[in-house]
C-alpha cells in the first residue's frame, strides 16, 4: 500500500515557531488548487502498480480551503490512481477554521464527511491563552475547546497536536493541558517539543530577549509526564511524538516510518519510492509556472545503501517496531549488522537501548534521547 500527501502552502498568519513552507497571501489559492490537481494527474504513472491507502492534506493550513477545493483534489486522486476500498483521508485543521458560527460548524463537519474525509488532525497546541499568544496562533483557547466539542460529535477518528517545553511552563500546567485533551476522548495525540528553528520569529524573539529560550531539561520532564499520563489512559506510545488508542494509529504516518512508498504533491512536498527521494521546490510562483508547463519542479536523490540503513535506524528507534536485526542483515549485510551491534553496546550498558528477541528498541529512559542515539548508530562510509 502507498500514500499521497498533498501540501497546502497557505496560512492565515505565521506561527512564531514554524519553518514549514507556506504563504500568508491567499491571492493564488485557486490557481494553486488547480496546479495541485494537475500534479496529481501528471504523476499517476509513478503509482501504476500501487494501491493508495491514505490521502493526507498537510501544510500550511489545509482547512483554509473550500470544501469544493478538497473534493476536487480527492476526486482527482480517485480518477487517476487505484484506491483501496476505505482509505484513510486526513485533513489538518486549525480550531479557528472549525468554529466560526454554530450553523457553519455543523455543516462543515457534515460536508467533510460527505466528500470522504474520515480523520481530522487538529492543531490545538495548547489550551492556555498565554501559550497561544506566545506561539502567535490564529485561534484562542475558547476556540480550541469549542471546535473539539463539535468535532467529536461528527468524527470518531481525531488527532490533536500539543506542544510541550514552552518557556516558563510548569509540569502542573502541562499536565492540565494533557488532562483537558483527554476530557474530549480523542483517540490520538501528537505532541512535540517546542523547537527553535533558524530564520523563525521565535529565534528572533529569543535573540532579542523577549522570550526565554526553551530548556532541554524542562522538555524532558514534560515528555515523561506526557508518556506516563497517556499510558495510564490506554494510549500506545507507537512513535516518539505519537500516541494512539488501539486501531487509531495514523496509517499515513506509520507508512512513512515503515518505509512504504508515498507521493508528495505541492510546493516543498517530499516523495519516496523505496530507492530514491525527491522534493518539490519551496516556491509557490515557480511551482505554479512549472506545473503550467507540464514540468515537475523537483529534485531527486538516489539513496545509497548507507542512506537507507541510516533512515531505517532513525525511524526504527522512534517507533514501537524498533530495529530488526534480521532485517538489517538481510537488506544491508553482515558488516552493517556487526557495526550496529558494536555501536549499540554502550547504549545497552547505559540502559538506553535493549534487545527484545532480535529487535533493538529504546528503553523508557532512552526514548526522549532516541534521535541523538540514532545519530551514533549511523554509518557514513561502509559501502
Amino acid at each position: 500500500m502507498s500514500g499521497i500527501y498533498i501540501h497546502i502552502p497557505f496560512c492565515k498568519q505565521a506561527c512564531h515557531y514554524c519553518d514549514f513552507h507556506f504563504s500568508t497571501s491567499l491571492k493564488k489559492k485557486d490557481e494553486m488548487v488547480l496546479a495541485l490537481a494537475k500534479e496529481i494527474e501528471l504523476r499517476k504513472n509513478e503509482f501504476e502498480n500501487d494501491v493508495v491507502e491514505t490521502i493526507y492534506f498537510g501544510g500550511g493550513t489545509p482547512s483554509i480551503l473550500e470544501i469544493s477545493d478538497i473534493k476536487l483534489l480527492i476526486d482527482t486522486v480517485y480518477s487517476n490512481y487505484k484506491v483501496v476500498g476505505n482509505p484513510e483521508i486526513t485533513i489538518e485543521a486549525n480550531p479557528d477554521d472549525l468554529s466560526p458560527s454554530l450553523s457553519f460548524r455543523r455543516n462543515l463537519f457534515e460536508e467533510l464527511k460527505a466528500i470522504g474525509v474520515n480523520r481530522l488532525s487538529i492543531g490545538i497546541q495548547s489550551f492556555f491563552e498565554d501559550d497561544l499568544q506566545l506561539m502567535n496562533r490564529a485561534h484562542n483557547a475558547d476556540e480550541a475547546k469549542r471546535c473539539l466539542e463539535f468535532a467529536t460529535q461528527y468524527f470518531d477518528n481525531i488527532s490533536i497536536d500539543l506542544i510541550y517545553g514552552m518557556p516558563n511552563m510548569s509540569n502542573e500546567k502541562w499536565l492540565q493541558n494533557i488532562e483537558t485533551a483527554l476530557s474530549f476522548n480523542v483517540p490520538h495525540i501528537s505532541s512535540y517539543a517546542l523547537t527553535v528553528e533558524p530564520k523563525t520569529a521565535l529565534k528572533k524573539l529569543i535573540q532579542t530577549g523577549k522570550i526565554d529560550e526553551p530548556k532541554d531539561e524542562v522538555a524532558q520532564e514534560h515528555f515523561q509526564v506526557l508518556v506516563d499520563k497517556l499510558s495510564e489512559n490506554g494510549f500506545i506510545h507507537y512513535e516518539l511524538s505519537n500516541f494512539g488508542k488501539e486501531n487509531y494509529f495514523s496509517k499515513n504516518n506509520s507508512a512513512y516510518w515503515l518505509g512504504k512508498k508515498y507521493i508528495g504533491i505541492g510546493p516543498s512536498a517530499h516523495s519516496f519510492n523505496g530507492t530514491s527521494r525527491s522534493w518539490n521546490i519551496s516556491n509557490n510562483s515557480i511551482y505554479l509556472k512549472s506545473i503550467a508547463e507540464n514540468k515537475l519542479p523537483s529534485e531527486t536523490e538516489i539513496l545509497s545503501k548507507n542512506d537507507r540503513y541510516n533512515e531505517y535506524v532513525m525511524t526504527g528507534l522512534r517507533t514501537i517496531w524498533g530495529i530488526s536485526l534480521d532485517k538489517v542483515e538481510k537488506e544491508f549485510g553482515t558488516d552493517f549488522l556487526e557495526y550496529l551491534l558494536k555501536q549499540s553496546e554502550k547504549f545497552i550498558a547505559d540502559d538506553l537501548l535493549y534487545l527484545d528477541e532480535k529487535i533493538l528498541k529504546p528503553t523508557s529512559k532512552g526514548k526522549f534521547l532516541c534521535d541523538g542515539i540514532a545519530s551514533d548508530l549511523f554509518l557514513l562510509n561502509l559501502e
Side-chain angles (χ1 to χ4, degrees), residues 167-181:
N168 304 314
M169 176 186 278
S170 66
N171 289 353
E172 291 73 21
K173 183 179 179 182
W174 171 234
L175 182 59
Q176 287 181 52
N177 252 331
I178 302 168
E179 289 176 339
T180 301

Side-chain angles (χ1 to χ4, degrees), residues 40-107:
I40 291 170
E41 184 175 359
L42 287 173
R43 300 181 66 181
K44 62 183 178 182
N45 291 338
E46 295 179 34
F47 270 13
E48 190 174 7
N49 300 314
D50 294 275
V51 178
V52 174
E53 185 181 25
T54 65
I55 303 170
Y56 191 100
F57 290 85
T61 310
S63 55
I64 212 166
L65 297 182
E66 302 294 331
I67 291 291
S68 57
D69 297 330
I70 302 168
K71 183 178 187 302
L72 170 66
L73 296 172
I74 293 174
D75 289 348
T76 304
V77 172
Y78 271 90
S79 298
N80 291 279
Y81 298 78
K82 300 171 187 173
V83 182
V84 75
N86 184 33
E88 177 188 88
I89 304 181
T90 302
I91 183 166
E92 292 181 354
N94 278 352
D96 47 300
D97 294 326
L98 298 180
S99 56
S101 67
L102 183 62
S103 59
F104 180 77
R105 278 196 299 261
R106 285 178 170 165
N107 290 339

